Amino acid sequence: MLKLTIDEERWPIAGSFTISRGSKTEAHVVTVTLSDGTHTGHGECVPYPRYEETVPQVMAALEAARDKIEEGFSHRDVPALVAPHAAQNALDCALWDLEAKRLGKPVWTLAGLPKPQPAVTAYTLSLDTPEAMGAAAAKASGRPLLKLKLGREGDTDRLRLIRRNAPNSRLIVDANEGWTPENLPAMLVACADVGVELVEQPLPAGHDEALRHIKRAVTVCADESAHGLDSLDAMIGKYDAINIKLDKTGGLTPAIALAEASKARGLKIMVGCMLATSLGMAPAFLLSPMAEFIDLDGPLLLKQDREPGIHFDGSLMYPPPASLWG
């Protein structure tokens, strides 16, 4: 028998975090703990209103499945136990952690993945005025990869000022569905002009057919349009890459399957995250050997991360310690 513990946690952000849809000042997460009396596994998820998930909904879904969870379950059982993808993520990752502790082997070995190595993560610049983002870029100009939150009037000026103030940083952009088919061609040209390598989700999910007909010099990556394997076919012909987030796929298990299938279909891989602590980043980091772009900077944006946490040397991210997860 297992013992399930469900907790709600709030982690203040250092300042605020703004994207095209709005701002937030904290990471609001749900954690799952599974204990067999000897070993304990942990998982973390971020219920995201954009996907019609809330913290109370996720906690209620986990509580409703308590009896079946505590009877014991496999990774294959997770989608039938809890419906929201965030709840599935926390449960799946807690089980991986528990299995690793029971067997005394790291999760990457159990999952048949390459051994993770230190890797550079993107560092996100929150959406703000062009001048403020330019100033933020100057402060972050020593970081090798910057992710720019765009999607509002003035994006061309933002790009120009950021590039001027961070001339040596690689740039990727996340428009968070904030552009339109009408301004998309000009925005992609503006991105190419300053050397942006990738643009995430420029158009609203469900209204992105224009991408099939637009020539571009910049890689376009699906985020809000892409969830699990069932969404993959719809990405082909519109997107060049896919952002895999465990809170969208429903855990590490389906994320691995999605990454392998995406590679087979010729899509580049970005491994991303919601705003969360190192516990939420740790399972996703195992996908980093398959990814061209890594965006797991959630802990860097918090006032304080959990202890123990993932070690960051600037933007260089190290594999999670076993005392944290996996």
mmCIF file of all heavy atoms in Angstrom, residues 25 55 58 66 92 103 147 217 243 279 325:
data_model
loop_
_atom_site.group_PDB
_atom_site.id
_atom_site.type_symbol
_atom_site.label_atom_id
_atom_site.label_comp_id
_atom_site.label_asym_id
_atom_site.label_seq_id
_atom_site.Cartn_x
_atom_site.Cartn_y
_atom_site.Cartn_z
ATOM 1 N N THR A 25 2.671 37.040 -9.830
ATOM 2 C CA THR A 25 3.701 37.373 -8.853
ATOM 3 C C THR A 25 4.150 36.165 -8.043
ATOM 4 O O THR A 25 4.978 36.299 -7.152
ATOM 5 C CB THR A 25 3.188 38.458 -7.883
ATOM 6 O OG1 THR A 25 2.003 37.984 -7.245
ATOM 7 C CG2 THR A 25 2.884 39.753 -8.634
ATOM 8 N N VAL A 55 -5.690 25.037 -9.448
ATOM 9 C CA VAL A 55 -5.154 24.300 -8.309
ATOM 10 C C VAL A 55 -6.245 23.509 -7.583
ATOM 11 O O VAL A 55 -6.076 22.305 -7.310
ATOM 12 C CB VAL A 55 -4.402 25.252 -7.358
ATOM 13 C CG1 VAL A 55 -4.135 24.580 -6.014
ATOM 14 C CG2 VAL A 55 -3.093 25.713 -7.992
ATOM 15 N N VAL A 58 -7.182 20.396 -9.679
ATOM 16 C CA VAL A 58 -6.163 19.352 -9.693
ATOM 17 C C VAL A 58 -6.109 18.623 -8.356
ATOM 18 O O VAL A 58 -6.024 17.387 -8.298
ATOM 19 C CB VAL A 58 -4.797 19.960 -10.061
ATOM 20 C CG1 VAL A 58 -3.661 18.997 -9.733
ATOM 21 C CG2 VAL A 58 -4.766 20.313 -11.547
ATOM 22 N N ARG A 66 -7.678 8.943 -4.669
ATOM 23 C CA ARG A 66 -6.802 8.509 -3.576
ATOM 24 C C ARG A 66 -6.822 6.985 -3.375
ATOM 25 O O ARG A 66 -5.774 6.339 -3.286
ATOM 26 C CB ARG A 66 -7.186 9.222 -2.279
ATOM 27 C CG ARG A 66 -6.404 8.722 -1.050
ATOM 28 C CD ARG A 66 -6.789 9.446 0.214
ATOM 29 N NE ARG A 66 -6.417 10.852 0.155
ATOM 30 C CZ ARG A 66 -5.205 11.303 0.431
ATOM 31 N NH1 ARG A 66 -4.244 10.458 0.777
ATOM 32 N NH2 ARG A 66 -4.945 12.591 0.376
ATOM 33 N N ASP A 92 2.738 10.981 -12.130
ATOM 34 C CA ASP A 92 3.689 10.187 -12.908
ATOM 35 C C ASP A 92 5.115 10.418 -12.417
ATOM 36 O O ASP A 92 5.890 9.461 -12.243
ATOM 37 C CB ASP A 92 3.569 10.558 -14.387
ATOM 38 C CG ASP A 92 4.487 9.743 -15.283
ATOM 39 O OD1 ASP A 92 4.275 8.522 -15.394
ATOM 40 O OD2 ASP A 92 5.413 10.331 -15.880
ATOM 41 N N LEU A 103 14.738 1.115 -6.197
ATOM 42 C CA LEU A 103 15.691 0.290 -6.935
ATOM 43 C C LEU A 103 17.128 0.780 -6.805
ATOM 44 O O LEU A 103 18.056 0.084 -7.225
ATOM 45 C CB LEU A 103 15.294 0.245 -8.410
ATOM 46 C CG LEU A 103 13.939 -0.419 -8.696
ATOM 47 C CD1 LEU A 103 13.555 -0.220 -10.158
ATOM 48 C CD2 LEU A 103 13.983 -1.902 -8.342
ATOM 49 N N LYS A 147 15.382 34.370 -23.659
ATOM 50 C CA LYS A 147 14.036 34.153 -24.194
ATOM 51 C C LYS A 147 13.223 35.419 -23.957
ATOM 52 O O LYS A 147 13.074 35.865 -22.815
ATOM 53 C CB LYS A 147 13.372 32.954 -23.513
ATOM 54 C CG LYS A 147 11.931 32.719 -23.967
ATOM 55 C CD LYS A 147 11.386 31.436 -23.372
ATOM 56 C CE LYS A 147 9.922 31.252 -23.688
ATOM 57 N NZ LYS A 147 9.408 29.943 -23.224
ATOM 58 N N ALA A 217 12.551 32.571 -42.184
ATOM 59 C CA ALA A 217 13.955 32.275 -41.948
ATOM 60 C C ALA A 217 14.201 31.930 -40.485
ATOM 61 O O ALA A 217 15.352 31.754 -40.069
ATOM 62 C CB ALA A 217 14.812 33.474 -42.353
ATOM 63 N N ASN A 243 7.421 22.501 -28.396
ATOM 64 C CA ASN A 243 7.829 22.737 -27.016
ATOM 65 C C ASN A 243 7.138 21.691 -26.131
ATOM 66 O O ASN A 243 5.914 21.697 -25.994
ATOM 67 C CB ASN A 243 7.445 24.146 -26.567
ATOM 68 C CG ASN A 243 8.012 24.504 -25.199
ATOM 69 O OD1 ASN A 243 8.554 23.655 -24.499
ATOM 70 N ND2 ASN A 243 7.887 25.758 -24.826
ATOM 71 N N LEU A 279 11.856 21.118 -8.322
ATOM 72 C CA LEU A 279 11.185 19.816 -8.362
ATOM 73 C C LEU A 279 10.410 19.643 -9.657
ATOM 74 O O LEU A 279 10.314 18.525 -10.181
ATOM 75 C CB LEU A 279 10.255 19.671 -7.151
ATOM 76 C CG LEU A 279 9.488 18.353 -7.037
ATOM 77 C CD1 LEU A 279 10.433 17.159 -7.023
ATOM 78 C CD2 LEU A 279 8.607 18.358 -5.788
ATOM 79 N N TRP A 325 15.250 14.769 -6.559
ATOM 80 C CA TRP A 325 14.357 13.909 -7.372
ATOM 81 C C TRP A 325 15.200 12.999 -8.245
ATOM 82 O O TRP A 325 16.255 13.369 -8.741
ATOM 83 C CB TRP A 325 13.477 14.783 -8.262
ATOM 84 C CG TRP A 325 12.453 13.996 -9.058
ATOM 85 C CD1 TRP A 325 11.201 13.647 -8.664
ATOM 86 C CD2 TRP A 325 12.639 13.429 -10.365
ATOM 87 N NE1 TRP A 325 10.576 12.915 -9.639
ATOM 88 C CE2 TRP A 325 11.438 12.759 -10.693
ATOM 89 C CE3 TRP A 325 13.683 13.413 -11.286
ATOM 90 C CZ2 TRP A 325 11.264 12.097 -11.904
ATOM 91 C CZ3 TRP A 325 13.519 12.745 -12.492
ATOM 92 C CH2 TRP A 325 12.314 12.101 -12.794
#
